[in-house]
Amino acid sequence: MRAVLLGPPGAGKGTQAIRLVEKYGVPQISTGDIFRANIKEGTELGKKAQEYTNSGQLVPDELVVDLVKDRLMQDDCKNGYLLDGFPRTIFQAEELDKFLAEQGQKLDAVVNFEIGNEILIERLTGRRICKKCGAGCHVKFSPPKVEGVCDKCGGELEQRKDDTRETAESRLAVYEESTAPLIDYYSKTGTLKNFNGDQDRDKLFAEIVSVLGE
Ligand code: AMP
């Protein structure tokens, strides 16, 4: 299974990815997670990426494409992968196509999450992540039992720097301008599958599986 999860920030790509990884036994490749890990570790890549991720701008293509290609060459990607947050520009999509052609591979599906901006802002600004175990929750939709404390491990919950209202709004604007054109790009290749992202997560998961296959 080689699939791309496409959709605006807050659409639920990460949440579905966790379950799809389990279902299909392929790794989730999240470029956002890769950047956050590099920023935390203070690597050269992290230092270069930080100013962009903090302000909700896209990290320049040249810092992203080789990183993803290297990752996709690793052993655990032999039987497929779920790309989460990549490609995010037409250039990245073209580079991915070239890479796949070189490998004699193709994408099975592009899973596109459709959802309105007001809901996304509410989802993003209420999102909290555990500092210790990385589990996510939402102050309104899935509140922790004790405010600020992770239900799973007791760790401290924090808000992602780019989940503040101002940055969330710019991320949505960046999505519209740079990433939404991929919908048209992939609809021409016949790989695009559209899903309503504003529905119960179990129902959405079942719908995705019914389209991707058992
Ligand atoms: P995400 O966790 O997918 O929302 O990504 C967080 C941030 O990482 C984005 O706002 C961008 O700054 C950066 N980022 C992640 N993936 C990409 C990508 N494919 N191209 C450019 N920037 C990216």
Side-chain angles (χ1 to χ4, degrees):
M1 167 67 57
R2 282 183 201 85
V4 166
L5 304 181
L6 180 64
K13 302 186 295 294
T15 305
Q16 294 298 327
I18 292 170
R19 302 184 60 175
L20 293 165
V21 157
E22 209 178 297
K23 168 90 189 156
Y24 294 106
V26 294
Q28 169 195 12
I29 314 292
S30 157
T31 39
D33 283 350
I34 296 173
F35 288 131
R36 279 184 289 279
N38 275 273
I39 291 166
K40 211 169 172 183
E41 286 161 25
T43 66
E44 276 312 305
L45 175 68
K47 283 181 196 145
K48 286 183 193 155
Q50 193 161 20
E51 61 177 297
Y52 302 99
T53 59
N54 279 351
S55 62
Q57 299 303 305
L58 292 184
V59 174
D61 285 334
E62 61 270 23
L63 289 180
V64 187
V65 172
D66 288 342
L67 175 92
V68 174
K69 283 192 203 165
D70 284 347
R71 181 67 190 85
L72 299 186
M73 293 295 279
Q74 287 173 23
D75 240 23
D76 62 334
C77 291
K78 260 197 327 238
N79 296 323
Y81 40 77
L82 287 171
L83 284 167
D84 168 7
F86 180 93
R88 252 179 161 100
T89 62
I90 294 283
F91 178 80
Q92 291 178 14
E94 287 170 348
E95 289 296 305
L96 176 63
D97 277 348
K98 280 189 220 160
F99 173 82
L100 287 163
E102 280 161 21
Q103 305 293 315
Q105 299 168 343
K106 61 176 189 52
L107 286 177
D108 296 302
V110 174
V111 175
N112 182 37
F113 296 69
E114 297 178 309
I115 183 160
N117 274 6
E118 298 91 271
I119 304 166
L120 293 171
I121 290 286
E122 197 178 15
R123 282 191 183 183
L124 289 168
T125 54
R127 186 157 78 167
R128 299 292 180 272
I129 312 283
C130 175
K131 271 186 172 175
K132 206 164 137 195
C133 75
C137 64
H138 191 282
V139 293
K140 184 169 165 195
F141 304 130
S142 54
K145 291 194 191 82
V146 180
E147 199 185 315
V149 180
C150 175
D151 279 354
K152 296 214 167 84
C153 76
E156 190 188 338
L157 295 172
E158 65 178 353
Q159 184 177 43
R160 261 171 60 170
K161 280 204 176 66
D162 56 353
D163 278 345
T164 57
R165 173 169 281 271
E166 196 191 348
T167 311
E169 280 170 356
S170 31
R171 287 162 70 204
L172 292 179
V174 167
Y175 172 81
E176 274 312 317
E177 188 179 328
S178 303
T179 310
L182 293 180
I183 297 171
D184 196 38
Y185 181 90
Y186 284 120
S187 66
K188 287 181 183 142
T189 64
T191 42
L192 191 81
K193 314 285 176 202
N194 293 316
F195 295 90
N196 172 11
D198 182 21
Q199 61 172 319
D200 173 80
R201 60 179 69 177
D202 295 337
K203 276 196 195 142
L204 175 55
F205 177 69
E207 258 186 40
I208 297 174
V209 170
S210 76
V211 171
L212 295 190
E214 279 298 331

